[in-house]
Amino acid sequence: MQDLHQVAGLARRIMEEVLEREALSCSIGVASNKMLAKIGSDFKKPYGLTIISEKEVSEFLSPLEVRKIPGVGPRTEEILHDLGIRSIGQLAGTDPDHLARHLGSLGRRLHQRAQGIDPSEVVVDDETKSIGREVTFERDIIDAAPILETMDGLAEEICSELLQCGFRFRTITVKIRFEHFDTFTRSRSLAFATNDLSILRNNGRRLVDLFLRRQKRVRLIGLRVSALNRL
């Protein structure tokens, strides 16, 4: 906790310096992982500091809307609402197997995030080349519906990170691995840069559908955007 307060002191100085030098307000979240810090940074906009200690995670997250979790876009939010899940506390209290039946592997990841668990590392890279996600299914599947739903979830997670980092993309790449570990990729480049979720989702579906026509069992799918530029 002492380390968290030391970081909070640094955060306050950053806020004050940005305000003094640029005449711009900013909000910052301080927590034990990247996801919690991101949620905290949105909590007291436009100028506030939110500190989330490990013992306060559940109390802080529980009343928040599920949309506050990175990776929960409009379509995932709609599915959760249909399941009667509107708050992060309700999401944390839902059986992860039940979530997986409706959201695939994304459901299990969201259940973890609802408990404040985020294993992803903070990577500082001034020359980010691409942003991607991939999912390995618990069992090889041939039904197109859960594969396409998982692709939609990957698109929402990527768009959330694009917006967070201030990027647009031009190239979309789909990766697929079949049951015998044969792995293929297919890409499409757009004529313009965008961070639009519907464009990414629709193109991701089209690209993966070309592979699904082979009627082979799928072990892994991935989605990546590249040719990034700043907003």
Side-chain angles (χ1 to χ4, degrees):
M1 187 62 179
Q2 181 63 34
D3 290 342
L4 209 58
H5 279 302
Q6 290 176 350
V7 175
L10 174 61
R12 288 190 184 93
R13 292 195 294 274
I14 291 172
M15 292 168 61
E16 292 167 359
E17 190 166 335
V18 169
L19 186 62
E20 180 180 348
R21 290 190 179 188
E22 307 295 336
L24 294 172
S25 61
C26 67
S27 60
I28 295 177
V30 177
S32 58
N33 64 52
K34 184 170 66 174
M35 180 202 70
L36 289 172
K38 170 67 175 73
I39 295 175
S41 70
D42 291 334
F43 193 63
K44 293 181 179 178
K45 285 187 173 182
Y47 188 73
L49 173 63
T50 301
I51 304 170
I52 309 169
S53 68
E54 290 189 15
K55 66 180 181 180
E56 296 169 333
V57 170
S58 179
E59 180 182 355
F60 175 78
L61 289 178
S62 289
L64 301 180
E65 297 178 356
V66 289
R67 186 68 182 273
K68 295 293 185 181
I69 296 178
V72 176
R75 175 56 182 156
T76 300
E77 182 183 38
E78 180 182 347
I79 293 171
L80 291 173
H81 284 183
D82 288 344
L83 296 174
I85 301 169
R86 294 185 173 273
S87 72
I88 295 179
Q90 290 173 321
L91 179 59
T94 302
D95 184 343
D97 290 335
H98 179 61
L99 294 170
R101 283 193 290 272
H102 294 272
L103 289 165
S105 58
L106 175 62
R108 297 186 186 279
R109 294 202 301 279
L110 292 181
H111 185 260
Q112 280 194 321
R113 292 174 188 176
Q115 299 173 76
I117 300 171
D118 176 25
S120 62
E121 297 181 2
V122 177
V123 178
V124 179
D125 184 357
D126 292 334
E127 297 185 3
T128 301
K129 300 289 193 301
S130 65
I131 295 174
R133 298 285 189 279
E134 60 183 40
V135 168
T136 301
F137 295 108
E138 294 183 1
R139 55 182 177 79
D140 299 344
I141 57 178
I142 197 167
D143 184 9
I147 296 173
L148 293 174
E149 287 176 5
T150 301
M151 180 61 66
D152 288 348
L154 296 179
E156 290 193 2
E157 289 191 42
I158 289 171
C159 274
S160 177
E161 184 165 345
L162 286 168
L163 291 171
Q164 179 182 341
C165 298
F167 282 121
R168 295 179 297 185
F169 65 89
R170 287 189 60 185
T171 301
I172 303 163
T173 301
V174 162
K175 174 182 176 182
I176 192 165
R177 179 170 296 147
F178 292 109
E179 56 188 327
H180 298 300
F181 289 92
D182 295 327
T183 304
F184 302 90
T185 61
R186 189 182 296 269
S187 299
R188 180 184 179 189
S189 292
L190 306 174
F192 53 89
T194 181
N195 58 12
D196 185 87
L197 172 59
S198 62
I199 291 175
L200 178 57
R201 184 169 52 205
N202 292 339
N203 278 279
R205 276 178 164 253
R206 290 191 189 101
L207 288 169
V208 80
D209 185 61
L210 296 172
F211 291 114
L212 298 183
R213 295 174 188 176
R214 302 183 184 188
Q215 292 295 301
K216 297 172 65 176
R217 293 188 178 277
V218 175
R219 174 160 297 186
L220 171 150
I221 62 167
L223 181 65
R224 178 168 54 86
V225 295
S226 55
L228 304 180
N229 60 56
R230 293 280 184 185
L231 291 173

